[in-house]
Amino acid sequence: MSDTARKILVTSALPYVNGHPHMGHMVEYIQTDIWVRFQKLIGNDCIYVCASDAHGTPIMLKARELGITPEELTETNTKEFVSAFEDFGVDFDNYHTTHSPENEALVTEMYEALRASGDIYTRTIEQAFDEKEGLFLPDRFVKGTCPRCKTEDQYGDACENCGATYTPADLIDPVSVLSGTTPVKRESEHYFFRLSEYGDKLRQWMRDATLDKNVVAKLEEWFEAGLQDWDISRDAPYFGFRIPGTDDKYFYVWLDAPVGYPASFKHLCDRRDDLDFDEYWRPGSDTELYHFIGKDIMYFHTLFWPAVLQGAGFRQPTSVFAHGFLTVNGQKMSKSRGTFIKARTYLDNLDPSYLRYYYAAKLGPTIEDIDLNLDDFIARVNSDLVGKLVNIASRCAGFINKRFDGQLAASLPDTALFEEFAAAADTIAGHFENREYSKAMRIIMGLADEANRYIDDNKPWVMIKDEAQLDAVQAVCTQGLNLFRSLMIYLTPVIPAVADKARDFLGEEEWRWSSVSEPLLGSRINKFQPLLTRIEQQQVDTMIEQSKETHPETVAAAAAGDDSISIDDFMKVDLRIARINAANPVEGADKLLQLELDVGDGTRNVFAGIKAAYDPASLVGRHVIVVANLAPRKMRFGVSEGMVLAAGPGGADIFLLSPDDGAEPGMRVK
């Protein structure tokens, strides 16, 4: 490994914030975060930026559906994404939004440079128009039959079956996704980028970027079909930046979205004196720039984006790293099966370190899909992280704490074994550098097996019974803890929260990658606390059940009459009379009250969104109706053990359903 620190700028694809973060999203951000943390651990100057992709028709229409502004929608959903990223340990140096002054300034600069060089021109086109909705339809809002392979139900920009790219006008039997009507063709003047002129330049960039062979193969297909000039404009109404010099034309979201990368970095530069924007984004710099993306957006990042950057006088990416999709139990994520799991639903039930490790154990540098097999997930995490890794520390720490006052021995009894662990550093580092995380995990867990064999062979629990062997016990346990320490240093990019706990337990302030070459000797360790516990099947089952019950599609289907229940289903609901023993506001929650309910056979803790309608003091002693057999739900403020029934449109207009006089706690409602 080089002694000279590299300057690296890393991005993940910008999450489109018209929805909620889920397990599929987390593949990319965890993969990127592992790579960034590794670069920082080995001493490189690595910066990680990202932003919310906040423009486009889908966001505009979703906001209209909810009766709020697009800005309100994106701000709310951005908070949810940021919260999930933080809880999964994804550590951005800066997280911004494409709806920002930095982004508008940069996209305008790029546009004007391209216009001045002749790379942007206008022409009148026919495009799909939804007469019922009264707007021009973006490509993804038209569906029909692929003109090449004849696969039905394909979007208007590309076929998911054969990979063909086209325009909505090419589709067979097109329909509007919004209204289900057949769109008509209307003429409109649009702005185009001359992507067709960049074939040779892009091929040169491809060679320099050393892209994955599967990415190159896909690019060759697009080159063979012929690069098409790119429509970078959209007609009003549209949520985005207006094109300078026009009244009703806006930059297409796929032009200003990748500009979110330099814009987020510019936002960071404006707050840090040690960063120079031009050093990272202008040609001729020796800094490195890497984009981590999903394979579904390769076209934009490996053709359109490098060409726009070069034409506008910016540097191109050093490389683009694409990954595959996530499947769950071998199939696409499913709302009906409960495998379309939101990030927050996972976090409500399981430790994020489990998923970070499992993804790492599956991830490689290719665009192959990875599968979250939930049975394998439980088995592998329990075996590798708990049974092998944490077990090493727990087997040794007790002896050091109890018999040697937390003091490690001054030397190792088996320096050759320690050096074997240290010698693996370069191989493991190479795998991290090349994004071969699964190979790195196999080596690390192989070393964990060796560490456990060492402890098994020396049996400190037997030696401790002989006073003459106390020094040997201290030495063996010191050896075991040093082997554990080496493994934790290697796993720091993967499970940083666990690594932080392990480092605190060992009494160290900081680890570097090179720390594996120097043993920890003669120092005092702290009392060992469990670093991770086993996953229980019930935790995963609850997560799946909550994913079935809480996804909006389930609610929509029920509202449409597509998810009717039988009388037998309804009879399963246990409605009971309950008395409110206590009612208190919930700190940090705008709508919730925490209720203690007497349901006859005990008390229940229930959170109810009725704060705007009721003074807590007025509720004490009141009788209400509660769903008593609802599965407990873990919330940020605690566990809710039921649901109080109420009616009304919301806010202050919420009315608790009250039972008849004479009702007693525990009585069932029929």
Side-chain angles (χ1 to χ4, degrees), residues 134 155 182 217-218 232 242 258 373 401 407 413 444 458 463 530 588 646 657:
Y155 288 109
T182 300
K218 194 64 185 175
I232 64 163
R242 188 168 53 82
N373 180 288
N401 286 137
Q407 191 82 20
I444 293 168
N458 285 276
M463 289 193 294
L657 302 187

Side-chain angles (χ1 to χ4, degrees), residues 17-34:
V17 288
N18 68 329
H20 307 280
H22 54 70
M23 293 296 91
H25 286 119
M26 299 316 302
V27 171
E28 180 169 310
Y29 301 98
I30 288 173
Q31 181 192 36
T32 315
D33 185 72
I34 289 172

Side-chain angles (χ1 to χ4, degrees), residues 35 114 120 125 141 163 235 317 355 434 453 476 484 486 528 530 572 647 661:
W35 200 79
L114 294 170
I120 287 179
I125 65 168
F141 277 66
D235 292 280
L355 193 73
N434 296 321
R453 278 196 296 272
V476 165
F484 166 75
S486 297
F528 179 76
K572 295 177 183 177
D661 293 338

Side-chain angles (χ1 to χ4, degrees), residues 121 123 165 192-206 218-231 298-300 302-307:
Y121 64 94
R123 78 167 186 253
T165 57
F192 285 80
F193 169 66
R194 297 185 194 275
L195 183 63
S196 59
E197 299 295 319
Y198 277 81
D200 292 340
K201 296 173 183 177
L202 285 170
R203 285 187 181 277
Q204 181 59 54
W205 172 75
M206 286 165 54
K218 194 64 185 175
L219 284 170
E220 289 296 342
E221 288 183 24
W222 289 323
F223 278 116
E224 278 188 33
L227 298 182
Q228 303 297 310
D229 289 351
W230 194 266
D231 186 346
M298 288 194 301
Y299 192 98
F300 304 100
T302 56
L303 292 178
F304 182 54
W305 178 233

Side-chain angles (χ1 to χ4, degrees), residues 397-655:
F399 295 114
I400 296 293
N401 286 137
K402 294 175 183 177
R403 298 302 297 268
F404 306 102
D405 195 27
Q407 191 82 20
L408 296 174
S411 62
L412 296 176
D414 192 339
T415 56
L417 181 59
F418 176 82
E419 289 170 0
E420 178 190 337
F421 275 49
D426 284 347
T427 300
I428 295 171
H431 289 320
F432 274 123
E433 176 69 38
N434 296 321
R435 305 177 325 283
E436 298 169 329
Y437 301 162
S438 61
K439 291 182 179 180
M441 296 308 101
R442 283 196 292 272
I443 293 174
I444 293 168
M445 286 305 150
L447 292 173
D449 287 333
E450 286 195 49
N452 279 296
R453 278 196 296 272
Y454 172 82
I455 298 168
D456 288 339
D457 290 344
N458 285 276
K459 297 179 175 58
W461 56 89
V462 174
M463 289 193 294
I464 197 72
K465 298 175 182 177
D466 184 351
E467 289 291 325
Q469 291 189 297
L470 288 183
D471 288 346
V473 171
Q474 186 182 25
V476 165
C477 291
T478 297
Q479 176 90 36
L481 289 175
N482 269 277
L483 300 181
F484 166 75
R485 173 178 175 268
S486 297
L487 299 174
M488 285 309 315
I489 292 171
Y490 292 145
L491 286 169
T492 294
V494 180
I495 46 174
V498 181
D500 285 346
K501 292 179 184 177
R503 184 174 43 76
D504 290 342
F505 151 63
L506 292 170
E508 297 183 86
E509 291 186 3
E510 184 183 27
W511 281 339
R512 306 295 298 167
W513 191 260
S514 58
S515 300
V516 296
S517 62
E518 293 293 330
L520 184 67
L521 299 170
S523 59
R524 192 178 303 278
I525 65 172
N526 295 311
K527 184 178 180 181
F528 179 76
Q529 302 289 339
L531 301 176
L532 281 173
T533 57
R534 292 173 56 84
I535 301 176
E536 300 298 334
Q537 182 68 49
Q538 181 59 43
Q539 292 173 277
V540 173
D541 292 344
T542 300
M543 177 180 69
I544 296 299
E545 197 60 32
Q546 289 175 355
S547 297
K548 289 179 183 177
E549 294 173 351
T550 61
H551 198 278
E553 185 178 89
T554 305
V555 178
D562 297 331
D563 196 21
S564 58
I565 63 172
S566 69
I567 187 64
D568 292 331
D569 293 323
F570 180 73
M571 292 302 293
K572 295 177 183 177
V573 181
D574 183 4
L575 298 177
R576 294 194 195 182
I577 307 300
R579 182 174 56 237
I580 301 175
N581 290 341
N584 296 291
V586 178
E587 185 176 353
D590 296 332
K591 301 178 181 179
L592 293 181
L593 291 180
Q594 183 175 10
L595 308 179
E596 179 187 297
L597 302 180
D598 178 358
V599 293
D601 56 1
T603 59
R604 302 278 182 89
N605 181 72
V606 171
F607 292 100
I610 58 174
K611 184 177 180 181
Y614 290 94
D615 174 52
S618 71
L619 293 174
V620 177
R622 179 168 178 168
H623 288 83
V624 292
I625 300 173
V626 62
V627 179
N629 61 339
L630 194 66
R633 179 170 179 78
K634 184 178 179 183
M635 304 175 67
R636 183 155 58 100
F637 313 100
V639 177
S640 187
E641 300 171 308
M643 177 186 291
V644 173
L645 298 189
D653 295 324
I654 296 177
F655 308 100

Side-chain angles (χ1 to χ4, degrees), residues 324-463:
F325 299 139
L326 178 72
T327 58
V328 180
N329 293 336
Q331 298 177 292
K332 286 185 178 181
M333 294 191 297
S334 164
K335 298 164 186 173
S336 62
R337 290 191 296 270
T339 57
F340 192 99
I341 305 166
K342 292 180 184 176
R344 185 53 54 191
T345 305
Y346 175 96
L347 291 165
D348 285 344
N349 292 281
L350 294 163
D351 192 308
S353 296
Y354 300 151
L355 193 73
R356 288 182 65 102
Y357 174 75
Y358 190 78
Y359 279 176
K362 291 276 192 171
L363 277 167
T366 71
I367 59 174
E368 297 289 327
D369 295 345
I370 71 167
D371 185 49
L372 172 58
N373 180 288
L374 294 172
D375 289 338
D376 180 56
F377 169 69
I378 296 171
R380 185 175 300 210
V381 167
N382 287 345
S383 171
D384 290 359
L385 291 186
V386 182
K388 294 180 182 180
L389 181 69
V390 174
N391 191 44
I392 300 167
S394 63
R395 299 174 82 185
C396 298
F399 295 114
I400 296 293
N401 286 137
K402 294 175 183 177
R403 298 302 297 268
F404 306 102
D405 195 27
Q407 191 82 20
L408 296 174
S411 62
L412 296 176
D414 192 339
T415 56
L417 181 59
F418 176 82
E419 289 170 0
E420 178 190 337
F421 275 49
D426 284 347
T427 300
I428 295 171
H431 289 320
F432 274 123
E433 176 69 38
N434 296 321
R435 305 177 325 283
E436 298 169 329
Y437 301 162
S438 61
K439 291 182 179 180
M441 296 308 101
R442 283 196 292 272
I443 293 174
I444 293 168
M445 286 305 150
L447 292 173
D449 287 333
E450 286 195 49
N452 279 296
R453 278 196 296 272
Y454 172 82
I455 298 168
D456 288 339
D457 290 344
N458 285 276
K459 297 179 175 58
W461 56 89
V462 174
M463 289 193 294

Side-chain angles (χ1 to χ4, degrees), residues 275-324:
L275 292 177
D276 179 6
F277 179 85
D278 289 349
E279 183 181 10
Y280 286 84
W281 283 101
R282 300 298 180 184
S285 172
D286 60 359
T287 59
E288 302 170 47
L289 169 63
Y290 299 99
H291 298 311
F292 283 73
I293 63 166
K295 64 182 180 182
D296 56 326
I297 52 175
M298 288 194 301
Y299 192 98
F300 304 100
H301 284 79
T302 56
L303 292 178
F304 182 54
W305 178 233
V308 166
L309 285 169
Q310 185 176 35
F314 287 72
R315 62 87 52 82
Q316 294 169 301
T318 308
S319 194
V320 174
F321 302 142
H323 61 81

Side-chain angles (χ1 to χ4, degrees), residues 58-75:
I59 282 179
M60 180 180 70
L61 294 176
K62 185 66 175 178
R64 187 172 72 178
E65 174 192 328
L66 297 174
I68 59 177
T69 66
E71 291 88 349
E72 289 172 326
L73 173 66
T74 57
E75 287 173 10

